[in-house]
Amino acid sequence: MQKTIISFICAAGLSVPACAQGFTYGARNTDFPPAFPEQFRAPLIDSDVELRTEVLADGLVNPWGIATLPEGGGWLVTERAGRLRHLAADGTLHGAIEGVPEVLAERQGGMLDVVLAPDFAESRVIYLTYAKPLSDGSATAAARMTLSDDMARVEGVEDIFVQSPPSQTAAHYGSRILPLPDGTLAITAGEHFTEDQRQYAQDLDKTYGKVLRVNPDGSVPAGNPFDGSPVWSLGHRNPQGAAIDAAGDLWTIEHGPQGGDELNRPEAGKNYGWPVISYGQNYNGSPIGPAAAAEGFEQPVYFWDPVIAPGGMAFHDGEMFADWNGDLLIGSLNPGGVVRLRLEDGMVVEEERLLMDLGRVRDVEILADGSFLVLTDYPDGEVVRVTPEG
């Protein structure tokens, strides 16, 4: 009912206060002290910006990823059920694009992220991540393909990454994919949740709980830290967001267990600790490990307890909301809405909660004018455009 009311407000073009819920952080699950003051619970602010929301499309089944097409061509949107759709700039939502890979659409599995190749205007190449069904389970996979001029089908589908080994648990796939400034691709892969599988996040011969760096054809680039391996960094849990900042650095965000969601800036060869250390605890209340810091493991730039259950994220840039340029906008699945972080010198200095009445936000896409789109993760999901009121 709440989602229906908010959808009506948005469709009517009425404004929603930036932080209508009067949010407070609430009680922690663990009592591990932060490693440095800026790592936890930055000052909560209310920027007093009134947000205007407009539903561009509804009726999407758990939309997961979105990519902006050039020259006003609209957007590509994935549905976790296994579809890729074209949403035109005028709001027309076209039928399923043919030729996409078969997916395992169970629990957290399905069609996941979508991104355009940097040379898309000439090559028509796109990349998808998805839960690939295999004879002995499923795996996070990334595929390269060519989108037809009429956007009705894809051709030449070729996997450029398939996680190994397969898992029988349809959870914690990751997975975002995005081009890096040097022409390679970053792919995030989760560790499939169960206690025995999560240990694989520490194993270099397995691609669970990793950030991967590959060439556009899937080969291993020069400069990767482990010879012949696509692994860029390890010790991640379930990284479902990734973004590049203005300096060209990669940032990721990952789900913790009960507490312990993390914002990281993954560096080559570094180990981010899961499941040896964590600022969260198991869902039954038992500890993950004896501490949240240990020698040989990197600390997150920032963590949350309680969680925000992060989805996709993006660095803001544009004329609209110009005061937020350089800030991170992060989709939150629980408690919902958008989390805005201001960073200075690589540290989080303030946090704001926006649009919490929208509920589960799976992805955020910044548009050229500074307005932004959010995807709401429901069986009747929406693409919502956000602009400043007035």
Side-chain angles (χ1 to χ4, degrees), residues 69 73-77 84-89 92-97 150-151:
L69 293 162
W75 301 273
L76 297 177
V77 184
L84 176 66
R85 310 282 293 273
H86 173 222
L87 172 61
T92 301
L93 183 62
H94 296 275
I97 293 172
D150 61 3
M151 288 181 279

Side-chain angles (χ1 to χ4, degrees), residues 255-295:
H255 289 250
Q258 191 164 270
D261 290 350
E262 293 185 4
L263 175 69
N264 287 300
R265 186 168 50 192
E267 297 182 48
K270 298 292 182 67
N271 189 329
Y272 291 82
W274 180 259
V276 182
I277 59 171
S278 174
Y279 282 96
Q281 64 183 8
N282 289 309
Y283 295 108
N284 63 9
S286 64
I288 301 296
E295 186 175 354

Side-chain angles (χ1 to χ4, degrees), residues 293-316:
E295 186 175 354
F297 300 111
E298 301 301 309
Q299 282 290 303
V301 173
Y302 195 68
F303 73 91
W304 288 266
D305 183 12
V307 299
I308 62 169
M313 67 180 185
F315 283 94
H316 187 269

